[in-house]
Amino acid sequence: MAISRHALSRLTPLCHCSLPPLAGLSSMSLAKRHLSPGCSFSACASPLAENSTHVESLPRKKMDRWKPMCLYFTQGKCTMMNDPGHLEKFNHNCSEGLQTDFAESKQLSSQNVDFLLVLDLEGKVEILEFPVLLIDTKTVQVVDFFHRFVRPSKMSEQRIHEYIQGKYGKLGVDRVWHDTAICFEEVIQEFEAWMIQHQLWGKDLGGPLNRAAFVTCGNWDIKTKIPQQCRVSGLKLPPYFMEWINLKDIYLNFYNRRATGMLTMLKELHIPIRGSHHLGIDDAKNIAKVLQRILADGAVLQITARRDSKVPENVEFLYKDRIR
């Protein structure tokens, strides 16, 4: 299996970390690290996650002003990389704001997996956006990303237009959605090719991820929405969606605090939200910042939910204390 099972327990398996007063890294010896050489985008010189209360006593470099992501670039379709005005207006580095020195933390624990895939889907009727950030558990750095907008398969063009206008029009990204969205089947094919490239999964082997695990903010993304969309699109549920880590349950058991969502965790950890809430790629980046902080504080992440291999609709929740 992709993740060792002996560590799993119905009892709360994480050591508690007291949040108040949200301190703990100020005394750590932190040294600057860059992304691994295999990263597909350039590393930026940002220090630790901005405004973290953990590192207020450390010297800081001036942070560059925040810029929205170029959503053509995140899907490999930007044609304006030589336009200075475009580069000034939009960010083309998905790791911007996610660079950390947490790898030097003395509290950082060894994990059961080498990589974590932060997934945060968007779309209530059908999936509209499929963003994934890949985090190396040894360096706590984002080393790559996968992002696609998804075109619904069972809606009329008029309904799609209304749906996208209501969802993304208010964020000003409806045009890029219409320009780039592809069907869910194509998204899964491209996602699998991306995972194979990173040796996270092999089509010939099938089965679970290789030394990796999905991380979601809640159970909805993989427990509910992926199977629903597979049924709508006429696809068999991929075997790598059989287990996942619910960050809410990790947060509850590690910090001994209930957090109902991403915004609560960001607020309690004094991490500023960046980007547009409910734009999937921005939410995935904000969830990744929470995940980086939890890893730096010493949490050992374990699978929190697993499907029955014979009856995938049946899901077993592995933590006694969990967010319901």
Side-chain angles (χ1 to χ4, degrees):
M1 299 300 288
I3 297 171
S4 62
R5 304 291 187 239
H6 69 274
L8 297 174
S9 171
R10 290 183 176 276
L11 298 177
T12 53
L14 296 175
C15 295
H16 289 298
C17 178
S18 178
L19 262 181
L22 295 175
L25 285 181
S26 58
S27 61
M28 293 181 183
S29 172
L30 298 174
K32 183 177 179 181
R33 290 179 67 95
H34 295 287
L35 287 175
S36 63
C39 178
S40 63
F41 42 79
S42 61
C44 60
S46 303
L48 295 178
E50 53 268 35
N51 297 336
S52 170
T53 56
H54 281 229
V55 292
E56 288 178 348
S57 60
L58 296 178
R60 289 178 169 275
K61 291 185 178 180
K62 183 179 179 181
M63 296 294 293
D64 293 334
R65 68 177 179 85
W66 180 85
K67 295 185 290 187
M69 286 296 303
C70 171
L71 299 179
Y72 291 96
F73 171 79
T74 61
Q75 300 173 89
K77 297 178 180 180
C78 180
T79 61
M80 302 180 69
M81 294 299 290
N82 294 323
D83 184 334
H86 176 75
L87 296 178
E88 173 64 23
K89 184 176 181 180
F90 294 101
N91 176 22
H92 292 75
N93 179 2
C94 203
S95 67
E96 185 76 32
L98 293 168
Q99 298 294 332
T100 78
D101 292 328
F102 289 156
E104 300 302 320
S105 167
K106 293 182 180 179
Q107 293 177 252
L108 193 65
S109 299
S110 176
Q111 301 294 324
N112 295 317
V113 295
D114 297 326
F115 294 98
L116 297 167
L117 293 86
V118 178
L119 170 69
D120 190 70
L121 302 174
E122 290 292 334
K124 293 182 178 180
V125 181
E126 291 193 43
I127 293 175
L128 300 177
E129 189 177 356
F130 191 107
V132 178
L133 295 184
L134 181 63
I135 294 181
D136 186 319
T137 59
K138 294 182 178 63
T139 65
V140 202
Q141 302 285 12
V142 174
V143 296
D144 203 359
F145 65 92
F146 178 89
H147 181 226
R148 296 292 185 272
F149 284 123
V150 189
R151 178 171 291 277
S153 58
K154 301 298 182 181
M155 290 186 187
S156 67
E157 286 301 312
Q158 180 179 350
R159 180 69 182 100
I160 289 175
H161 178 78
E162 294 170 351
Y163 192 24
I164 297 308
Q165 182 61 33
K167 169 67 177 177
Y168 289 117
K170 59 186 177 183
L171 303 178
V173 299
D174 50 326
R175 178 178 175 181
V176 64
W177 188 95
H178 284 291
D179 286 347
T180 61
I182 58 178
C183 71
F184 184 70
E185 183 177 4
E186 290 181 77
V187 170
I188 289 298
Q189 291 173 353
E190 294 184 6
F191 179 58
E192 289 181 353
W194 178 83
M195 289 197 295
I196 291 170
Q197 174 189 348
H198 287 288
Q199 299 182 342
L200 301 171
W201 181 75
K203 185 180 288 288
D204 54 335
L205 299 175
L209 298 179
N210 177 36
R211 297 293 298 168
F214 286 104
V215 176
T216 58
C217 187
N219 292 307
W220 175 84
D221 301 80
I222 298 181
K223 175 183 178 293
T224 303
K225 199 61 195 174
I226 289 288
Q228 284 181 353
Q229 187 64 58
C230 285
R231 287 193 293 271
V232 169
S233 300
L235 300 177
K236 183 179 179 181
L237 180 68
Y240 43 83
F241 285 128
M242 297 297 285
E243 58 186 27
W244 61 93
I245 297 170
N246 179 357
L247 196 60
K248 294 180 184 178
D249 290 346
I250 300 294
Y251 189 96
L252 170 64
N253 285 275
F254 186 65
Y255 292 123
N256 198 27
R257 277 192 177 184
R258 298 182 63 84
T260 56
M262 177 191 76
L263 295 179
T264 302
M265 289 187 280
L266 288 168
K267 181 178 180 181
E268 291 188 350
L269 294 175
H270 293 206
I271 300 173
I273 186 172
R274 288 296 183 93
S276 299
H277 188 27
H278 294 310
L279 178 61
I281 188 65
D282 284 351
D283 281 352
K285 292 175 71 173
N286 284 308
I287 293 168
K289 288 195 286 187
V290 174
L291 175 59
Q292 288 175 319
R293 172 67 175 275
I294 290 176
L295 290 171
D297 281 348
V300 177
L301 273 62
Q302 299 172 7
I303 294 297
T304 63
R306 181 177 297 116
R307 298 185 190 282
D308 186 309
S309 59
K310 296 181 179 179
V311 187
E313 294 79 11
N314 294 342
V315 175
E316 180 182 12
F317 298 102
L318 303 172
Y319 277 26
K320 179 181 178 181
D321 295 328
R322 65 185 184 91
I323 302 294
R324 300 176 187 273

